[in-house]
Amino acid sequence: MNGNFCGRFIQGLAKNLIKAKPQLPQCRQIIIKRKCSSVVYPSSLPYRYTPVHFAYDLILPAKANDELPPLIFLHGINSAKEWCWGELPQIIADRTQRKAYSLDARNHGDSGWFEDFDFDLNVEDLLYFMDEHCIEKAAIVGHSMGGLTGYRAAVKAPERFEMLIVEEMYAKKVPQDVMDFLTVTSKLWIEAEECMPAGLEEEEAERFITEYVRSKNPSLAPQKKGRPDTSGLTGLLRKDPSGRYVFKANLRVIQHKVSDIDSMMSEVDGVYEGPTYVIYGSRSPFEIYNHKENIQSHFPKAVFLEFQAVGHYVHKKYPKEFTEKVVKYILEQTEK
């Protein structure tokens, strides 16, 4: 990163530039002891599995039916549980009378940071979380990376999943061009974080990052009423020990890992015969509509719902309509 450029960029906002140093909490390796499940699933990982501390929200419905499996909400990459889902888990839990968990993936949100990160590892994390919380069976609601975790976990341990609701994700290995887009985004966020002056309030930090990204790649920083739209960052930042705002995601590890998709995940292998609901946007760069055949080869009961005039975040642009469709699907499957 060119220091002169950074200096020019923040001229008038601050006199000094402070570089954020990533801190990776140390996680000791432990032997996994399954609390509730006697089933041992063969690991697909080429290294010993090391769990981290998983942050989660427990959502209790106004009236719970304890006989029903809980819902588990999983967010996308570079995201966090609150930013991704907002109030939707509570609304869906209330209307389906199910307890729900909203989980931060490793290296995201308030969950532990560690050098190991890939999409196969996310599957091990989900099963570990379920065992730690005595969840014998669950229904998954996953967006993007969270949907991919749901797909892959259901194929690996189908008896543990009542149903899948996947928003905006295909079942095959994610194309490298999609991962390259994530690499570019993460790189710009890291640069903005490093150039950001100390002493900014959260809204000012969001504006600084948005303006920085726009100066480098306008297509990645949308505008609203002629001004930079910072709403996409609200909830993705936290204060570090020095009082500066930084991203909740471990961007440096994620950027490094996603640069090579072959090291991030293996191909999906197997079939899940349970109910599967795939929701996607007609304008999404993921083009889920072109991958229905592949999805159904692994999830033969998959049904698809397309939302018009929306991209990758269907539930954010159409929260009411998304909620109605998800609740209806869950209730229909419950009655069967």
Side-chain angles (χ1 to χ4, degrees):
M1 190 65 197
N2 188 298
N4 291 332
F5 174 77
C6 288
R8 291 195 303 271
F9 182 79
I10 65 172
Q11 187 176 12
L13 293 176
K15 294 182 179 180
N16 300 311
L17 298 176
I18 298 177
K19 289 193 173 184
K21 297 181 179 179
Q23 297 180 352
L24 301 177
Q26 297 298 315
C27 301
R28 61 186 180 88
Q29 288 195 340
I30 65 173
I31 298 175
I32 301 172
K33 296 181 179 180
R34 297 183 180 275
K35 291 183 177 180
C36 303
S37 175
S38 60
V39 180
V40 177
Y41 303 101
S43 176
S44 58
L45 304 176
Y47 48 81
R48 183 182 180 188
Y49 174 69
T50 305
V52 298
H53 163 73
F54 294 106
Y56 67 95
D57 293 329
L58 173 61
I59 298 103
L60 299 177
K63 182 180 180 182
N65 183 343
D66 293 333
E67 295 183 0
L68 298 175
L71 306 167
I72 299 180
F73 289 80
L74 304 173
H75 63 73
I77 199 166
N78 285 349
S79 184
K81 59 184 189 299
E82 297 93 345
W83 182 88
C84 182
W85 297 113
E87 297 298 319
L88 292 189
Q90 184 67 65
I91 297 171
I92 295 173
D94 285 341
R95 294 185 57 185
T96 60
Q97 297 185 352
R98 292 175 183 245
K99 181 166 63 176
Y101 298 84
S102 187
L103 177 65
D104 273 336
R106 72 166 59 210
N107 288 316
H108 291 78
D110 296 318
S111 286
W113 286 16
F114 200 50
E115 292 286 358
D116 291 331
F117 175 73
D118 59 52
F119 295 151
D120 292 334
L121 185 56
N122 286 348
V123 173
E124 307 290 339
D125 285 342
L126 175 58
L127 292 172
Y128 176 84
F129 178 83
M130 291 173 66
D131 289 339
E132 284 294 291
H133 293 271
C134 296
I135 302 171
E136 291 285 357
K137 180 176 282 191
I140 299 296
V141 183
H143 174 253
S144 196
M145 179 184 75
L148 185 63
T149 300
Y151 277 147
R152 299 171 69 80
V155 167
K156 181 172 185 175
E159 73 283 357
R160 303 293 300 274
F161 299 97
E162 178 193 16
M163 70 182 82
L164 299 179
I165 300 170
V166 175
E167 178 190 0
E168 273 291 304
M169 182 50 66
Y170 20 60
K172 68 175 187 176
K173 183 180 288 189
V174 179
Q176 187 61 54
D177 61 344
V178 173
M179 306 307 284
D180 290 342
F181 174 81
L182 290 171
T183 300
V184 171
T185 303
S186 297
K187 180 176 182 292
L188 289 175
W189 281 0
I190 291 170
E191 291 177 1
E193 195 178 85
E194 291 176 344
C195 284
M196 192 188 308
L200 298 184
E201 297 298 327
E202 185 171 8
E203 185 176 343
E204 294 173 322
E206 293 168 358
R207 185 181 304 112
F208 179 91
I209 294 169
T210 302
E211 291 176 348
Y212 179 88
V213 171
R214 184 168 183 78
S215 74
K216 304 289 286 193
N217 191 331
S219 66
L220 298 180
Q223 289 192 318
K224 188 175 184 179
K225 296 182 179 179
R227 303 179 64 183
D229 182 7
T230 64
S231 61
L233 294 175
T234 303
L236 288 182
L237 304 179
R238 62 173 175 81
K239 277 188 177 181
D240 69 7
S242 72
R244 296 175 68 251
Y245 278 97
V246 296
F247 282 93
K248 289 183 177 180
N250 190 353
L251 296 176
R252 290 153 182 83
V253 165
I254 294 171
Q255 180 199 10
H256 173 69
K257 296 293 185 179
V258 301
S259 62
D260 180 12
I261 186 57
D262 289 333
S263 67
M264 278 292 290
M265 65 182 291
S266 56
E267 288 287 2
V268 175
D269 182 21
V271 174
Y272 171 69
E273 298 284 354
T276 305
Y277 198 29
V278 182
I279 299 172
Y280 63 92
S282 65
R283 295 182 180 176
S284 170
F286 282 62
E287 299 181 344
I288 304 301
Y289 46 82
N290 286 331
H291 302 278
K292 291 182 179 180
E293 185 176 348
N294 175 263
I295 293 172
Q296 288 181 317
S297 69
H298 298 285
F299 303 90
K301 293 184 180 178
V303 294
F304 299 86
L305 175 64
E306 179 179 280
F307 277 77
Q308 294 295 318
V310 63
H312 194 49
Y313 291 93
V314 176
H315 70 278
K316 283 186 171 291
K317 185 167 184 179
Y318 297 113
K320 182 178 179 180
E321 294 83 351
F322 178 89
T323 300
E324 291 293 333
K325 294 296 185 181
V326 168
V327 168
K328 180 181 178 182
Y329 184 80
I330 292 173
L331 294 177
E332 287 175 349
Q333 300 306 315
T334 303
E335 293 171 358
K336 290 184 178 180

